[in-house]
Amino acid sequence: VRTDISTGDIARLVVEDRLWHRLSRLAEFGATADGGVNRQALSAEEIAARRQLVAWGTAIGLQPHTDRVANLFLTYRGRDADLSPVLIGSHIDSQPTGGKFDGAYGVLAALESVEAMIAGGHKPRRSITVVAWMNEEGSRFAPGMMGSAVYTGARARADILDICDHAGRSVREELDTVLRADADVPVVEKRQRPAAYLELHIEQGPILELESKVIGAVTGIQGKRTYRVHVTGEENHAGTSPRSVRRDALVAAIDIVKALQNALWDRDDITRFTVGQFTVTPNAPSVVPAKVVFSIDLRHPDADQLRPLGDAVPEICANAAGRCAVAVTQVLYDPPLEFPPAIRQKIGRTADRLDIPWMNIPSGAGHDARHLHRICPTGMIFIPCKDGISHNEAESILRSHATAGASVLAEVAFELANAV
Ligand code: HGY
Ligand code: MN
Ligand code: MN
């Protein structure tokens, strides 16, 4: 057993073919016809993918466990297993038209990192636990980052159990199904804070590619406020009801979205405003829409901008609703955050030591690292994705970049787990 701090010898034990094979294999769970994945949180596809992860982990001696919100953990026991572990991972749930790498890459590269340590007989002082967080994406059950939020105490388990998907299935029901499918995986509630958390992820933006860098040492995550807007009108006959008496929820919702777009437009294109979900009821061609429910995803890197922009949303909606009623509920308010420089600098030094071009980079996308950052020293590592495309079936990465990311993750994770 070697206990010295690795000087790149773990990186050399990362096996590109094994990592790439697993990325391709995991992408089969929920594979879509256009080359992406639809592996939604707590779905049958995700259950199958979990089983595959557990099989890969146990095959190399990792100890699997889960918790009561179906976060999945695979632990490589350290020399001093009583010490708090270093967690490394991401998520395996996807958007409905997701890519093969968002989340899954971070989990599989974490598994590869640990396998490289084991192959070289490198046993760190602290245990290293590979983690797949439940429902990061929040597309089936909103809000996202549910598993890491409950794990870190940002949300109470009781608060998420009755959240339902479009089909009316609740988190409670689906959690039961997942935990029954994993009946052979012990359910263990968190005993202690992690010593540190590292998340490797694709950038989901174009900067690394444009700057010809392979590794991003992530400085922080921009702020995000999400809302659900209910516009209520009155269904009526499309052929007989005069415009003068209509209360058309769709027309009102369009006016509201246009008013929001105008109010949130900024010259330097920093603000991110998205209406991604938009449902019309009864959604019948000859019925004046009675109800529209739509989502708002508002992001900004500056807390002093995000606050007033978000605070103005309810009034903008009310002023543009015409004769319809409108109700605006804020679903979450995550302020911008900055990761501790110490871990970020370790990432940069490791990339230098491995002779991999790197840069500091902010994250426009949200990640479970947001929640871990509140309870332990946390860092994120990015690799490029082609044209910065993500949340899209065309999402793709280079094999060499996948390996580079796993190499940096393995070295930094080992160093953190060996720190005295
Ligand atoms: O939406 C996000 O930022 C994350 O990719 N789910
Ligand atoms: Mn992700
Ligand atoms: Mn995502």
Side-chain angles (χ1 to χ4, degrees):
V1 171
R2 295 190 51 185
T3 59
D4 61 313
I5 292 208
S6 157
T7 52
D9 46 8
I10 294 178
R12 275 190 288 282
L13 293 165
V14 166
V15 176
E16 182 170 296
D17 286 349
R18 181 171 56 202
L19 173 57
W20 202 256
H21 162 72
R22 288 182 174 154
L23 282 164
S24 311
R25 177 75 186 99
L26 207 75
E28 291 171 21
F29 299 102
T32 59
D34 293 341
V37 289
N38 178 7
R39 190 169 57 235
Q40 303 223 20
L42 304 177
S43 63
E45 294 80 9
E46 191 183 46
I47 289 174
R50 286 163 67 94
R51 300 305 304 163
Q52 176 63 78
L53 268 184
V54 170
W56 282 330
T58 50
I60 59 172
L62 304 190
Q63 287 165 348
H65 77 272
T66 186
D67 63 15
R68 293 171 65 228
V69 289
N71 292 310
L72 182 62
F73 304 91
L74 297 165
T75 296
Y76 174 38
R77 283 171 67 87
R79 300 193 310 279
D80 195 343
D82 294 339
L83 293 175
S84 55
V86 168
L87 263 57
I88 59 175
S90 190
H91 60 93
I92 60 167
D93 66 301
S94 82
Q95 291 290 346
T97 55
K100 298 188 183 78
F101 306 101
D102 176 356
Y105 168 61
V107 175
L108 292 176
L111 179 65
E112 180 58 34
S113 302
V114 165
E115 188 148 4
M117 292 173 203
I118 293 169
H122 298 288
K123 198 162 186 56
R125 190 157 164 266
R126 295 172 182 276
S127 299
I128 295 179
T129 297
V130 174
V131 57
W133 299 112
M134 184 273 280
N135 187 25
E136 188 278 340
E137 294 289 9
S139 57
R140 182 183 179 196
F141 301 106
M145 296 176 217
M146 240 177 216
S148 56
V150 171
Y151 177 85
T152 60
R155 270 186 202 285
R157 182 172 178 274
D159 292 347
I160 65 163
L161 293 177
D162 296 321
I163 294 174
C164 290
D165 66 6
H166 273 309
R169 307 259 325 151
S170 69
V171 169
R172 182 196 310 273
E173 292 168 285
E174 298 300 80
L175 275 178
D176 286 348
T177 307
V178 172
L179 295 176
R180 256 199 317 279
D182 279 352
D184 55 336
V185 178
V187 177
V188 178
E189 279 315 293
K190 173 162 62 90
R191 288 182 298 273
Q192 58 199 141
R193 282 167 190 260
Y197 175 68
L198 282 176
E199 181 161 359
L200 170 60
H201 205 286
I202 56 172
E203 177 197 338
Q204 299 179 296
I207 299 169
L208 290 176
E209 214 176 37
L210 291 172
E211 301 293 331
S212 304
K213 297 289 187 291
V214 174
I215 291 292
V218 183
T219 52
I221 300 178
Q222 73 173 333
K224 173 165 121 176
R225 294 182 78 168
T226 64
Y227 304 80
R228 185 158 296 287
V229 182
H230 287 251
V231 183
T232 308
E234 181 182 46
E235 62 258 55
N236 212 322
H237 194 295
T240 56
S241 60
R243 191 189 52 240
S244 59
V245 298
R246 286 187 178 196
R247 293 178 56 232
D248 184 328
L250 179 63
V251 169
I254 289 168
D255 290 345
I256 292 170
V257 171
K258 199 60 202 157
L260 286 166
Q261 208 168 26
N262 294 339
L264 298 171
W265 186 90
D266 61 338
R267 186 180 323 283
D268 40 14
D269 191 4
I270 299 288
T271 305
R272 295 284 175 266
F273 166 69
T274 310
V275 173
Q277 214 167 43
F278 194 95
T279 49
V280 182
T281 307
N283 205 31
S286 302
V287 180
V288 173
K291 194 168 178 57
V292 168
V293 180
F294 66 85
S295 63
I296 294 174
D297 180 319
L298 175 65
R299 309 194 195 195
H300 199 287
D302 178 349
D304 294 333
Q305 296 280 331
L306 183 62
R307 189 178 323 102
L309 287 173
D311 290 351
V313 164
E315 190 178 351
I316 294 167
C317 293
N319 292 343
R323 285 199 289 261
C324 288
V326 61
V328 180
T329 312
Q330 179 171 258
V331 176
L332 70 78
Y333 187 168
D334 285 341
L337 68 87
E338 189 183 330
F339 290 124
I343 290 197
R344 175 165 50 79
Q345 288 154 3
K346 202 181 281 286
I347 293 166
R349 278 198 305 276
T350 302
D352 279 337
R353 200 171 65 221
L354 296 175
D355 204 16
I356 302 172
W358 69 280
M359 65 184 283
N360 287 319
I361 186 171
S363 179
H367 300 284
D368 293 301
R370 159 175 295 285
H371 289 309
L372 279 293
H373 170 68
R374 282 192 358 276
I375 66 164
C376 69
T378 295
M380 285 199 74
I381 306 165
F382 277 170
I383 64 162
C385 55
K386 189 166 177 345
D387 302 332
I389 291 173
S390 183
H391 283 192
N392 180 313
E393 295 172 284
E395 185 182 277
S396 75
I397 62 174
L398 295 182
R399 286 173 67 119
S400 60
H401 292 172
T403 307
S407 302
V408 173
L409 175 68
E411 295 279 337
V412 177
F414 188 83
E415 204 174 314
L416 290 174
N418 241 7
V420 289

mmCIF file of all heavy atoms in Angstrom, residues 348-375:
data_model
loop_
_atom_site.group_PDB
_atom_site.id
_atom_site.type_symbol
_atom_site.label_atom_id
_atom_site.label_comp_id
_atom_site.label_asym_id
_atom_site.label_seq_id
_atom_site.Cartn_x
_atom_site.Cartn_y
_atom_site.Cartn_z
ATOM 1 N N GLY A 348 -5.703 23.990 -10.241
ATOM 2 C CA GLY A 348 -4.815 24.626 -11.223
ATOM 3 C C GLY A 348 -3.404 24.061 -11.140
ATOM 4 O O GLY A 348 -2.790 23.724 -12.163
ATOM 5 N N ARG A 349 -2.892 23.895 -9.923
ATOM 6 C CA ARG A 349 -1.521 23.349 -9.744
ATOM 7 C C ARG A 349 -1.436 21.926 -10.295
ATOM 8 O O ARG A 349 -0.460 21.541 -10.935
ATOM 9 C CB ARG A 349 -1.130 23.357 -8.257
ATOM 10 C CG ARG A 349 -0.605 24.691 -7.716
ATOM 11 C CD ARG A 349 0.165 24.496 -6.399
ATOM 12 N NE ARG A 349 -0.652 23.806 -5.400
ATOM 13 C CZ ARG A 349 -1.533 24.419 -4.596
ATOM 14 N NH1 ARG A 349 -1.739 25.717 -4.734
ATOM 15 N NH2 ARG A 349 -2.234 23.746 -3.701
ATOM 16 N N THR A 350 -2.494 21.162 -10.046
ATOM 17 C CA THR A 350 -2.500 19.769 -10.530
ATOM 18 C C THR A 350 -2.509 19.748 -12.061
ATOM 19 O O THR A 350 -1.769 18.992 -12.689
ATOM 20 C CB THR A 350 -3.720 19.019 -9.979
ATOM 21 O OG1 THR A 350 -3.682 19.066 -8.545
ATOM 22 C CG2 THR A 350 -3.750 17.580 -10.443
ATOM 23 N N ALA A 351 -3.314 20.610 -12.653
ATOM 24 C CA ALA A 351 -3.337 20.673 -14.127
ATOM 25 C C ALA A 351 -1.952 21.065 -14.649
ATOM 26 O O ALA A 351 -1.434 20.466 -15.599
ATOM 27 C CB ALA A 351 -4.390 21.676 -14.591
ATOM 28 N N ASP A 352 -1.314 22.020 -13.972
ATOM 29 C CA ASP A 352 0.055 22.407 -14.378
ATOM 30 C C ASP A 352 1.005 21.219 -14.272
ATOM 31 O O ASP A 352 1.764 20.924 -15.194
ATOM 32 C CB ASP A 352 0.570 23.543 -13.466
ATOM 33 C CG ASP A 352 0.045 24.912 -13.901
ATOM 34 O OD1 ASP A 352 -0.315 25.031 -15.100
ATOM 35 O OD2 ASP A 352 -0.017 25.834 -13.067
ATOM 36 N N ARG A 353 0.890 20.515 -13.143
ATOM 37 C CA ARG A 353 1.811 19.375 -12.911
ATOM 38 C C ARG A 353 1.602 18.304 -13.983
ATOM 39 O O ARG A 353 2.543 17.627 -14.405
ATOM 40 C CB ARG A 353 1.531 18.783 -11.505
ATOM 41 C CG ARG A 353 2.683 17.956 -10.935
ATOM 42 C CD ARG A 353 2.408 17.598 -9.481
ATOM 43 N NE ARG A 353 1.250 16.711 -9.355
ATOM 44 C CZ ARG A 353 0.324 16.822 -8.400
ATOM 45 N NH1 ARG A 353 0.402 17.817 -7.531
ATOM 46 N NH2 ARG A 353 -0.672 15.972 -8.341
ATOM 47 N N LEU A 354 0.379 18.176 -14.431
ATOM 48 C CA LEU A 354 0.084 17.168 -15.474
ATOM 49 C C LEU A 354 0.230 17.769 -16.866
ATOM 50 O O LEU A 354 -0.112 17.140 -17.867
ATOM 51 C CB LEU A 354 -1.347 16.619 -15.267
ATOM 52 C CG LEU A 354 -1.584 15.860 -13.955
ATOM 53 C CD1 LEU A 354 -3.061 15.486 -13.815
ATOM 54 C CD2 LEU A 354 -0.706 14.610 -13.878
ATOM 55 N N ASP A 355 0.702 19.051 -16.871
ATOM 56 C CA ASP A 355 0.959 19.717 -18.153
ATOM 57 C C ASP A 355 -0.301 19.815 -19.019
ATOM 58 O O ASP A 355 -0.275 19.548 -20.228
ATOM 59 C CB ASP A 355 2.070 18.928 -18.890
ATOM 60 C CG ASP A 355 2.782 19.856 -19.887
ATOM 61 O OD1 ASP A 355 2.595 21.078 -19.725
ATOM 62 O OD2 ASP A 355 3.434 19.347 -20.824
ATOM 63 N N ILE A 356 -1.415 20.149 -18.372
ATOM 64 C CA ILE A 356 -2.712 20.293 -19.068
ATOM 65 C C ILE A 356 -3.099 21.776 -19.025
ATOM 66 O O ILE A 356 -3.131 22.376 -17.942
ATOM 67 C CB ILE A 356 -3.800 19.449 -18.369
ATOM 68 C CG1 ILE A 356 -3.410 17.967 -18.325
ATOM 69 C CG2 ILE A 356 -5.143 19.616 -19.072
ATOM 70 C CD1 ILE A 356 -4.366 17.105 -17.469
ATOM 71 N N PRO A 357 -3.368 22.390 -20.169
ATOM 72 C CA PRO A 357 -3.737 23.816 -20.189
ATOM 73 C C PRO A 357 -5.052 24.052 -19.463
ATOM 74 O O PRO A 357 -6.027 23.351 -19.696
ATOM 75 C CB PRO A 357 -3.849 24.148 -21.678
ATOM 76 C CG PRO A 357 -3.987 22.853 -22.385
ATOM 77 C CD PRO A 357 -3.363 21.797 -21.520
ATOM 78 N N TRP A 358 -5.066 25.053 -18.578
ATOM 79 C CA TRP A 358 -6.258 25.276 -17.750
ATOM 80 C C TRP A 358 -6.506 26.763 -17.569
ATOM 81 O O TRP A 358 -5.656 27.590 -17.900
ATOM 82 C CB TRP A 358 -6.088 24.609 -16.380
ATOM 83 C CG TRP A 358 -5.051 25.274 -15.516
ATOM 84 C CD1 TRP A 358 -3.690 25.111 -15.588
ATOM 85 C CD2 TRP A 358 -5.279 26.238 -14.475
ATOM 86 N NE1 TRP A 358 -3.055 25.907 -14.666
ATOM 87 C CE2 TRP A 358 -4.012 26.609 -13.958
ATOM 88 C CE3 TRP A 358 -6.430 26.809 -13.926
ATOM 89 C CZ2 TRP A 358 -3.858 27.533 -12.923
ATOM 90 C CZ3 TRP A 358 -6.294 27.727 -12.898
ATOM 91 C CH2 TRP A 358 -5.013 28.089 -12.396
ATOM 92 N N MET A 359 -7.659 27.095 -17.064
ATOM 93 C CA MET A 359 -7.983 28.495 -16.733
ATOM 94 C C MET A 359 -9.029 28.531 -15.620
ATOM 95 O O MET A 359 -9.750 27.535 -15.409
ATOM 96 C CB MET A 359 -8.541 29.221 -17.969
ATOM 97 C CG MET A 359 -9.880 28.656 -18.463
ATOM 98 S SD MET A 359 -10.479 29.442 -19.976
ATOM 99 C CE MET A 359 -11.108 30.980 -19.311
ATOM 100 N N ASN A 360 -9.121 29.651 -14.935
ATOM 101 C CA ASN A 360 -10.213 29.872 -13.973
ATOM 102 C C ASN A 360 -11.470 30.199 -14.774
ATOM 103 O O ASN A 360 -11.385 30.890 -15.798
ATOM 104 C CB ASN A 360 -9.888 31.042 -13.036
ATOM 105 C CG ASN A 360 -8.818 30.658 -12.035
ATOM 106 O OD1 ASN A 360 -8.822 29.560 -11.493
ATOM 107 N ND2 ASN A 360 -7.859 31.562 -11.814
ATOM 108 N N ILE A 361 -12.604 29.695 -14.348
ATOM 109 C CA ILE A 361 -13.825 29.918 -15.130
ATOM 110 C C ILE A 361 -15.048 29.906 -14.215
ATOM 111 O O ILE A 361 -15.137 29.089 -13.296
ATOM 112 C CB ILE A 361 -13.944 28.806 -16.221
ATOM 113 C CG1 ILE A 361 -15.112 29.073 -17.161
ATOM 114 C CG2 ILE A 361 -14.052 27.425 -15.589
ATOM 115 C CD1 ILE A 361 -15.133 28.121 -18.376
ATOM 116 N N PRO A 362 -16.002 30.816 -14.416
ATOM 117 C CA PRO A 362 -17.248 30.795 -13.622
ATOM 118 C C PRO A 362 -18.208 29.788 -14.228
ATOM 119 O O PRO A 362 -18.133 29.464 -15.415
ATOM 120 C CB PRO A 362 -17.767 32.222 -13.774
ATOM 121 C CG PRO A 362 -17.289 32.657 -15.121
ATOM 122 C CD PRO A 362 -15.955 31.968 -15.341
ATOM 123 N N SER A 363 -19.147 29.311 -13.394
ATOM 124 C CA SER A 363 -20.157 28.376 -13.918
ATOM 125 C C SER A 363 -21.483 29.105 -14.131
ATOM 126 O O SER A 363 -22.063 29.666 -13.194
ATOM 127 C CB SER A 363 -20.380 27.200 -12.951
ATOM 128 O OG SER A 363 -21.371 26.345 -13.488
ATOM 129 N N GLY A 364 -21.967 29.054 -15.348
ATOM 130 C CA GLY A 364 -23.304 29.600 -15.662
ATOM 131 C C GLY A 364 -24.377 28.596 -15.288
ATOM 132 O O GLY A 364 -25.512 28.943 -14.980
ATOM 133 N N ALA A 365 -24.007 27.303 -15.304
ATOM 134 C CA ALA A 365 -24.979 26.253 -14.979
ATOM 135 C C ALA A 365 -24.950 25.991 -13.477
ATOM 136 O O ALA A 365 -23.947 26.210 -12.814
ATOM 137 C CB ALA A 365 -24.623 24.962 -15.723
ATOM 138 N N GLY A 366 -26.069 25.466 -12.989
ATOM 139 C CA GLY A 366 -26.148 25.094 -11.572
ATOM 140 C C GLY A 366 -25.638 23.688 -11.374
ATOM 141 O O GLY A 366 -25.627 22.885 -12.307
ATOM 142 N N HIS A 367 -25.153 23.405 -10.169
ATOM 143 C CA HIS A 367 -24.626 22.054 -9.873
ATOM 144 C C HIS A 367 -24.868 21.726 -8.401
ATOM 145 O O HIS A 367 -25.002 22.631 -7.566
ATOM 146 C CB HIS A 367 -23.117 22.007 -10.152
ATOM 147 C CG HIS A 367 -22.775 22.323 -11.573
ATOM 148 N ND1 HIS A 367 -22.948 21.424 -12.602
ATOM 149 C CD2 HIS A 367 -22.300 23.470 -12.142
ATOM 150 C CE1 HIS A 367 -22.585 21.987 -13.743
ATOM 151 N NE2 HIS A 367 -22.207 23.231 -13.496
ATOM 152 N N ASP A 368 -24.844 20.405 -8.099
ATOM 153 C CA ASP A 368 -25.018 19.983 -6.698
ATOM 154 C C ASP A 368 -23.935 20.573 -5.806
ATOM 155 O O ASP A 368 -24.115 20.722 -4.601
ATOM 156 C CB ASP A 368 -24.996 18.454 -6.624
ATOM 157 C CG ASP A 368 -26.214 17.834 -7.313
ATOM 158 O OD1 ASP A 368 -27.350 18.142 -6.886
ATOM 159 O OD2 ASP A 368 -26.044 17.086 -8.278
ATOM 160 N N ALA A 369 -22.794 20.921 -6.414
ATOM 161 C CA ALA A 369 -21.703 21.524 -5.623
ATOM 162 C C ALA A 369 -22.180 22.763 -4.881
ATOM 163 O O ALA A 369 -21.622 23.124 -3.840
ATOM 164 C CB ALA A 369 -20.542 21.876 -6.555
ATOM 165 N N ARG A 370 -23.236 23.378 -5.379
ATOM 166 C CA ARG A 370 -23.803 24.557 -4.689
ATOM 167 C C ARG A 370 -24.151 24.219 -3.246
ATOM 168 O O ARG A 370 -23.881 24.958 -2.320
ATOM 169 C CB ARG A 370 -25.041 25.048 -5.428
ATOM 170 C CG ARG A 370 -25.986 25.910 -4.573
ATOM 171 C CD ARG A 370 -27.121 26.490 -5.322
ATOM 172 N NE ARG A 370 -26.707 27.441 -6.334
ATOM 173 C CZ ARG A 370 -26.293 28.679 -6.072
ATOM 174 N NH1 ARG A 370 -26.244 29.114 -4.824
ATOM 175 N NH2 ARG A 370 -25.938 29.483 -7.048
ATOM 176 N N HIS A 371 -24.795 23.052 -3.099
ATOM 177 C CA HIS A 371 -25.244 22.681 -1.742
ATOM 178 C C HIS A 371 -24.080 22.171 -0.889
ATOM 179 O O HIS A 371 -23.981 22.494 0.290
ATOM 180 C CB HIS A 371 -26.362 21.639 -1.838
ATOM 181 C CG HIS A 371 -27.648 22.204 -2.355
ATOM 182 N ND1 HIS A 371 -28.235 23.342 -1.841
ATOM 183 C CD2 HIS A 371 -28.456 21.819 -3.359
ATOM 184 C CE1 HIS A 371 -29.332 23.624 -2.494
ATOM 185 N NE2 HIS A 371 -29.496 22.718 -3.434
ATOM 186 N N LEU A 372 -23.197 21.384 -1.495
ATOM 187 C CA LEU A 372 -22.063 20.856 -0.712
ATOM 188 C C LEU A 372 -21.176 22.003 -0.228
ATOM 189 O O LEU A 372 -20.633 21.956 0.875
ATOM 190 C CB LEU A 372 -21.260 19.857 -1.567
ATOM 191 C CG LEU A 372 -21.829 18.433 -1.645
ATOM 192 C CD1 LEU A 372 -21.758 17.749 -0.297
ATOM 193 C CD2 LEU A 372 -23.198 18.367 -2.236
ATOM 194 N N HIS A 373 -21.098 23.046 -1.015
ATOM 195 C CA HIS A 373 -20.281 24.231 -0.670
ATOM 196 C C HIS A 373 -20.688 24.810 0.679
ATOM 197 O O HIS A 373 -19.872 25.380 1.395
ATOM 198 C CB HIS A 373 -20.496 25.286 -1.768
ATOM 199 C CG HIS A 373 -19.942 26.642 -1.474
ATOM 200 N ND1 HIS A 373 -18.588 26.905 -1.393
ATOM 201 C CD2 HIS A 373 -20.563 27.825 -1.235
ATOM 202 C CE1 HIS A 373 -18.409 28.195 -1.127
ATOM 203 N NE2 HIS A 373 -19.594 28.773 -1.021
ATOM 204 N N ARG A 374 -21.930 24.619 1.070
ATOM 205 C CA ARG A 374 -22.387 25.180 2.343
ATOM 206 C C ARG A 374 -21.924 24.352 3.539
ATOM 207 O O ARG A 374 -21.904 24.831 4.666
ATOM 208 C CB ARG A 374 -23.921 25.300 2.363
ATOM 209 C CG ARG A 374 -24.493 26.472 1.588
ATOM 210 C CD ARG A 374 -25.970 26.702 1.875
ATOM 211 N NE ARG A 374 -26.504 25.731 2.779
ATOM 212 C CZ ARG A 374 -26.942 24.521 2.388
ATOM 213 N NH1 ARG A 374 -26.877 24.163 1.129
ATOM 214 N NH2 ARG A 374 -27.414 23.670 3.249
ATOM 215 N N ILE A 375 -21.569 23.071 3.274
ATOM 216 C CA ILE A 375 -21.227 22.241 4.448
ATOM 217 C C ILE A 375 -19.790 21.738 4.448
ATOM 218 O O ILE A 375 -19.346 21.147 5.416
ATOM 219 C CB ILE A 375 -22.187 21.017 4.582
ATOM 220 C CG1 ILE A 375 -22.019 20.033 3.425
ATOM 221 C CG2 ILE A 375 -23.636 21.454 4.717
ATOM 222 C CD1 ILE A 375 -22.643 18.667 3.740
#
